[in-house]
Amino acid sequence: MIFDSIFGMFSTDMGIDLGTCNTLVCVRGQGIVLNEPSVVAVKRGTNRVLQNGNAVGIVAKEMLGKTPGSISAIRPMKDGVIADFDITEAMLGYFIRKVHNKRGRLWHRPRVVIAIPSGITAVEKRAVLNSAERASARRVYLVEEPMAAAIGAELPVTEPTGSMIVDIGGGTTEVAIISLADISVCESIRVAGDDMDEAIAAHMKRTYNLMIGEQTSERIKIEIGSASPMETEMTQEVRGRDMISGLPRKTNISSEEVREALKEPIGAIIDCVTRTLEKAEPELAADLVDKGIVLAGGGALLRGMDTVLANATGLDVVVAADPLTCVARGTAVYLENLEMWKDTMESDEDEF
Ligand code: ADP
Ligand code: MG
């Protein structure tokens, strides 16, 4: 204990948001020190990470959809489950070492708090714990993503009152009602930002015979996507490959069309939120009448997401400040209060 606090001054104890799209690392007293896509480039057909030392994160994301024959860029957490243990381990290890080594405290191994999607299995949790340990972590604690998001969004999670968080990421949407530092009800679905991108790509194919890549559909979503009508609708030029002629071509699409294409994934997210509310204890549900719902994750930034959820639930809905960093900032708060939170977390001291 006493050693912990003395060494703590020199350590790079870190909180990690291991997201399906982005991984963020927060260090005590320094804020967010790493924010990179959860992408790894591997030799095609193997799970061997490319040996040039930087085939993870930003560099690897630029390769998505553009890799030459011998390389593929993989998102190992894509659906909120660990698709490939070895690649996830390589990615997590790379990020931990990058943060730890840069700060050069090699004699003191860090404590690490990792936020993981709430849907992952005991085996996957064990894999995350082991990976972090192998990447030089002294002790590893796991927290559920919605709890970390709620803390990062500064909801009063430790109080005896209901707080509701909806975290819309890339691969998963996680919805939870929290009270007294515990998750009372939660739901997690594998529908989120990626499905919106896919819905836009499917629309382009169906309506215009135009094939577009993942990055292009994501850009359309961010630039003109919406969940409810906008004051001024927009149009955008889209480039891709014509399915019939096979040649590059461009066309224009409107924000109304994009909204129509997004109806299905957004409908699934709304259903997930209403299902969670239906399962809430009456006292906690009553609290939400005054306190409403807070949105986090990149999907919270889609125009009109708050409005459609407010219409569907009749509750106030607000987007958290800086929704993309809520989970990472939440893990940092955990780190600062480890003694208080320790009993509520799974760690490498527990048996699974
Ligand atoms: P994860 O926690 O799963 O890694 P994030 O919370 O980082 O996910 O959110 C990533 C998702 O948010 C992606 O699908 C991305 O396209 C989406 N996103 C980011 N910015 C916006 C925006 N302005 N509008 C709509 N979606 C956005
Ligand atoms: Mg997330």
Side-chain angles (χ1 to χ4, degrees):
M1 247 304 280
I2 187 131
F3 283 113
D4 270 4
S5 43
I6 293 169
F7 280 118
M9 291 187 284
F10 302 105
S11 82
T12 50
D13 286 351
M14 54 185 105
I16 303 179
D17 167 11
L18 186 61
T20 66
C21 265
N22 299 300
T23 299
L24 283 76
V25 181
C26 211
V27 169
R28 206 157 41 165
Q30 300 177 24
I32 290 164
V33 296
L34 181 142
N35 182 353
E36 298 199 32
S38 309
V39 182
V40 185
V42 298
K43 205 164 154 31
R44 190 177 296 279
T46 72
N47 51 17
R48 266 191 299 131
V49 179
L50 290 191
Q51 284 307 309
N52 59 7
N54 58 0
V56 180
I58 295 166
V59 177
K61 181 165 187 189
E62 283 165 2
M63 297 182 189
L64 269 181
K66 292 185 181 174
T67 51
S70 60
I71 299 173
S72 53
I74 291 181
R75 285 175 52 196
M77 303 283 299
K78 195 169 195 294
D79 297 311
V81 292
I82 297 179
D84 187 305
F85 289 104
D86 293 338
I87 296 176
T88 305
E89 173 167 348
M91 182 177 81
L92 187 58
Y94 173 87
F95 289 139
I96 292 177
R97 278 188 295 270
K98 190 166 176 183
V99 169
H100 186 57
N101 295 351
K102 207 191 230 164
R103 283 158 186 76
R105 314 277 196 231
L106 293 174
W107 67 87
H108 187 77
R109 297 160 63 205
R111 290 181 299 182
V112 178
V113 172
I114 306 178
I116 45 159
S118 59
I120 85 172
T121 64
V123 175
E124 291 171 324
K125 283 182 187 166
R126 170 54 60 201
V128 171
L129 284 175
N130 291 344
S131 309
E133 276 169 357
R134 276 196 285 268
S136 87
R138 172 167 49 114
R139 178 140 307 158
V140 190
Y141 303 90
L142 301 183
V143 305
E144 302 214 339
E145 188 172 332
M147 178 65 90
I151 296 172
E154 295 178 8
L155 292 175
V157 292
T158 55
E159 286 169 26
T161 173
S163 296
M164 182 160 182
I165 185 92
V166 176
D167 178 354
I168 308 170
T172 58
T173 296
E174 314 226 357
V175 182
I177 299 173
I178 296 168
S179 165
L180 289 169
D182 209 356
I183 293 181
S184 167
V185 272
C186 75
E187 285 266 334
S188 168
I189 52 166
R190 290 182 194 173
V191 177
D194 291 340
D195 302 81
M196 299 182 198
D197 303 347
E198 281 160 24
I200 293 172
H203 170 80
M204 294 309 293
K205 237 189 210 166
R206 215 173 28 240
T207 317
Y208 299 100
N209 284 322
L210 194 70
M211 304 259 281
I212 61 171
E214 277 176 44
Q215 315 242 36
T216 302
S217 37
E218 181 181 26
R219 218 161 30 235
I220 298 171
K221 171 185 72 180
I222 292 174
E223 279 166 24
I224 65 168
S226 61
S228 59
M230 295 188 271
E231 265 177 34
T232 359
E233 298 290 346
M234 300 180 265
T235 58
Q236 197 184 350
E237 195 173 86
V238 180
R239 288 140 208 269
R241 183 162 57 86
D242 190 283
M243 287 170 68
I244 296 161
S245 71
L247 297 174
R249 179 165 69 82
K250 61 183 184 186
T251 181
N252 286 313
I253 55 161
S254 69
S255 50
E256 286 99 334
E257 272 178 88
V258 176
R259 187 160 58 246
E260 189 58 37
L262 294 179
K263 273 229 163 93
E264 201 179 309
I266 289 173
I269 293 170
I270 295 172
D271 288 346
C272 181
V273 171
T274 51
R275 256 197 329 273
T276 312
L277 282 166
E278 282 159 17
K279 291 199 295 186
E281 297 288 341
E283 291 293 347
L284 296 182
D287 294 337
L288 300 178
V289 173
D290 292 326
K291 307 195 33 210
I293 302 175
V294 174
L295 305 186
L301 291 167
L302 185 76
R303 293 172 193 79
M305 198 68 217
D306 47 355
T307 314
V308 279
L309 284 171
N311 292 343
T313 60
L315 298 175
D316 289 338
V317 179
V318 295
V319 178
D322 203 359
L324 281 159
T325 63
C326 274
V327 172
R329 287 182 287 115
T331 59
V333 175
Y334 251 94
L335 266 177
E336 277 157 28
N337 303 284
L338 265 186
E339 288 308 314
M340 180 179 94
W341 288 100
K342 238 162 141 173
D343 297 338
T344 69
M345 291 195 275
E346 291 184 65
S347 83
D348 48 0
E349 290 164 284
D350 304 332
E351 279 305 316
F352 280 90

